Amino acid sequence: MAQVLEFKLPDLGEGLTEAEIVRWLVEVGDVVAIDQPVVEVETAKAMVEVPCPYGGVVTARFGEEGSELPVGAPLLTVAVGATDASSASPGDDGAAADEPSGGSGSGNVLVGYGTGAPAARRRRIRPERSTAPAAPAVVSAPSRLAVPVAFGEVKGRQGPVAVVSPLVRRLARQHEIDLRQLSGSGPDGLILRADVDSAIRQAGHVTEAATRTAAEPVVAEAPTVQVGAAASATAERIPLRGVRGAVADKLSRSRSEIPDATCWVDADATGLMAARAAMNAASGPSGGSKVSVLALLARICTAALARYPELNSTVDTAAREIVRLPGVHLGFAAQTERGLVVPVVRDAHTRNAESIGAEIARLTELARTGKLSPAQLTGGTFTLNNYGVFGVDGSTPIINHPEAAMLGVGRIMPKPWVLNGELAVRQVVQLSLTFDHRVCDGGTAGGFLRYVADCVEQPAVLLRTL
């Protein structure tokens, strides 16, 4: 006889207490293997696939796509030992056991990510429809793709249309856009975010026109009341959750707890750009990846932190102590479709510019595809924020709590500059440092920023620390 086991949302680590269901990977009646991913969830840190430690038949799922579940809440139940439809029918609501027996579970302690093994082939066991003995119907589904894809029939044409990325589906769901009515502009009819954005704008125009038409005869009698009602009806409310919610919480905590101050300086980056060009030219056409400006700035930061360790620290508020950290785990701000994330280059103080650049490129690609793990987004001790990529010159960064400082870098562009008493056109960049005034005073912060600026203007200064 089958044993029905309950699988709960596991502890995803890093202090996360809840997750949003993005996409179910199995349905009631499917046969799952041990450690097969069964659901894709989004936390405040990353998008992860959660594997099930039991092998058997899925008898129930808890939670719809788009809903949030706390850690420890039931995800699904699995009938372990069920080999046919008679041993465990879909929707079985029998009492769920806490632990599997006879080796039916993986024995792994699930912390969000599973074993990384390839997904097992999905089968469905259909319940019997009559009392007559019958062999269970087994339907094989296509194997899970590396990029999550959902298929649906589109009215007016034949064949499936692919919806790439759960983010696109969630955006459509939030704005009540029926993906089955859209024609994808991507390869082979893929529905892209641009297609959904266009549908949202069109729906907004239709709603606005309909609201205006319906309100016209009433507005003449009570304009104040009706205009207010119309505005309330068309206002959009966006939940602060997932990455956006985590960013909001962290920034609010930073502003409320950290007495921050910002200083800035303009620097002549002509020497830095020339040094980078020389490095990349020396590597030759097949000498490896090119060194980026961000990698050079990151290496300059690690050298500056070695001179000014006060800024590589945190504050233990409860103990009223400044905790100076032994190593530099350098975070860098990256803008993605999910929002702003800060991947962390571990042990950046032990790396050269080329190694830092390679790690930044690797983490940036993971961020772009939404595959960063929570561990890769936490533990930073200092953050480098290159907002110059947005075409702006300066900013006053908000410290990435619980760190003590953040260096902001504006765009590098030609500007008039006085060089050796004469006016010249040079590559100029604005550098800004926001720091926790509890860990140091302005003299230390100014010394750090001045050293960074000196290295930007004269990269040979770095030779002293290499």
Side-chain angles (χ1 to χ4, degrees):
M1 183 175 181
Q3 181 183 15
V4 179
L5 304 177
E6 183 180 80
F7 175 44
K8 299 178 180 180
L9 179 64
D11 178 5
L12 301 175
E14 305 295 342
L16 301 174
T17 59
E18 61 187 9
E20 178 183 346
I21 296 177
V22 175
R23 183 171 64 112
W24 282 104
L25 304 177
V26 296
E27 297 181 7
V28 173
D30 285 353
V31 175
V32 296
I34 294 175
D35 285 343
Q36 175 181 338
V38 293
V39 65
E40 188 178 63
V41 301
E42 182 182 22
T43 70
K45 300 292 185 182
M47 193 96 67
V48 295
E49 291 182 347
V50 180
C52 179
Y54 314 135
V57 180
V58 178
T59 59
R61 299 187 319 192
F62 303 96
E64 299 296 328
E65 293 181 355
S67 62
E68 286 190 347
L69 292 180
V71 170
L75 268 179
L76 50 77
T77 55
V78 179
V80 176
T83 57
D84 54 35
S86 62
S87 61
S89 61
D92 187 353
D93 57 356
D98 292 331
E99 297 294 339
S101 61
S104 56
S106 67
N108 295 336
V109 178
L110 296 180
V111 190
Y113 322 113
T115 61
R121 209 166 127 178
R122 189 166 125 185
R123 295 181 296 127
R124 166 165 299 208
I125 294 181
R126 301 184 184 278
E128 296 181 356
R129 297 185 179 275
S130 65
T131 58
V138 180
V139 179
S140 297
S143 59
R144 185 169 53 86
L145 301 177
V147 178
V149 177
F151 295 96
E153 294 297 328
V154 179
K155 293 182 179 180
R157 64 177 181 183
Q158 300 296 324
V161 59
V163 181
V164 178
S165 169
L167 300 178
V168 174
R169 293 195 297 278
R170 186 176 67 171
L171 182 64
R173 184 170 61 249
Q174 289 175 342
H175 294 273
E176 299 182 352
I177 299 299
D178 188 355
L179 290 172
R180 294 172 300 177
Q181 306 297 328
L182 301 185
S183 298
S185 61
D188 299 324
L190 295 179
I191 294 180
L192 307 178
R193 180 170 182 171
D195 302 323
V196 176
D197 289 337
S198 177
I200 292 172
R201 288 193 296 270
Q202 293 178 5
H205 292 325
V206 172
T207 303
E208 182 181 354
T211 302
R212 184 169 56 249
T213 302
E216 277 177 358
V218 183
V219 168
E221 299 177 5
T224 303
V225 175
Q226 293 301 324
V227 168
S232 176
T234 57
E236 181 181 8
R237 291 179 175 267
I238 302 174
L240 275 175
R241 61 188 184 191
V243 172
R244 188 72 262 163
V247 170
D249 293 341
K250 175 159 284 196
L251 297 182
S252 298
R253 185 175 182 184
S254 178
R255 280 299 193 197
S256 63
E257 291 187 10
I258 299 177
D260 59 349
T262 302
C263 53
W264 58 89
V265 65
D266 289 340
D268 179 2
T270 307
L272 180 70
M273 301 303 289
R276 173 177 176 262
M279 291 178 189
N280 292 333
S283 64
S286 59
S289 58
K290 303 296 184 181
V291 177
S292 66
V293 174
L294 187 62
L296 292 177
L297 290 170
R299 180 62 185 91
I300 291 173
C301 283
T302 60
L305 290 171
R307 286 177 167 246
Y308 300 93
E310 298 92 335
L311 295 172
N312 193 59
S313 62
T314 186
V315 175
D316 187 336
T317 306
R320 293 183 61 82
E321 294 176 342
I322 297 173
V323 183
R324 291 192 183 176
L325 304 171
V328 178
H329 303 311
L330 187 69
F332 64 96
Q335 192 72 36
T336 71
E337 286 190 353
R338 297 180 64 228
L340 179 67
V341 296
V342 184
V344 177
V345 178
R346 303 286 169 183
D347 300 315
H349 61 289
T350 65
R351 300 171 180 263
N352 57 26
E354 188 174 17
S355 174
I356 292 177
E359 183 66 359
I360 287 176
R362 185 182 74 87
L363 293 173
T364 299
E365 178 61 20
L366 291 175
R368 187 186 64 80
T369 57
K371 295 180 180 179
L372 284 171
S373 69
Q376 293 169 320
L377 290 165
T378 53
T381 63
F382 184 92
T383 296
L384 174 62
N385 186 0
N386 180 22
Y387 44 75
V389 296
F390 301 119
V392 297
D393 296 331
S395 176
T396 54
I398 299 177
I399 296 174
N400 188 19
H401 185 280
E403 298 170 11
M406 176 186 292
L407 179 69
V409 182
R411 59 179 176 172
I412 301 175
M413 62 178 302
K415 288 184 179 180
W417 189 264
V418 177
L419 181 66
N420 298 325
E422 296 183 359
L423 191 63
V425 176
R426 307 287 284 181
Q427 298 290 325
V428 179
V429 61
Q430 185 180 100
L431 306 171
S432 57
L433 177 72
T434 297
F435 64 99
D436 186 339
H437 224 313
R438 295 173 297 179
V439 304
C440 69
D441 295 324
T444 299
F448 175 94
L449 188 58
R450 188 63 257 171
Y451 178 80
V452 171
D454 289 344
C455 290
V456 168
E457 294 183 343
Q458 303 177 46
V461 174
L462 267 178
L463 292 175
R464 296 181 179 179
T465 60
L466 295 180

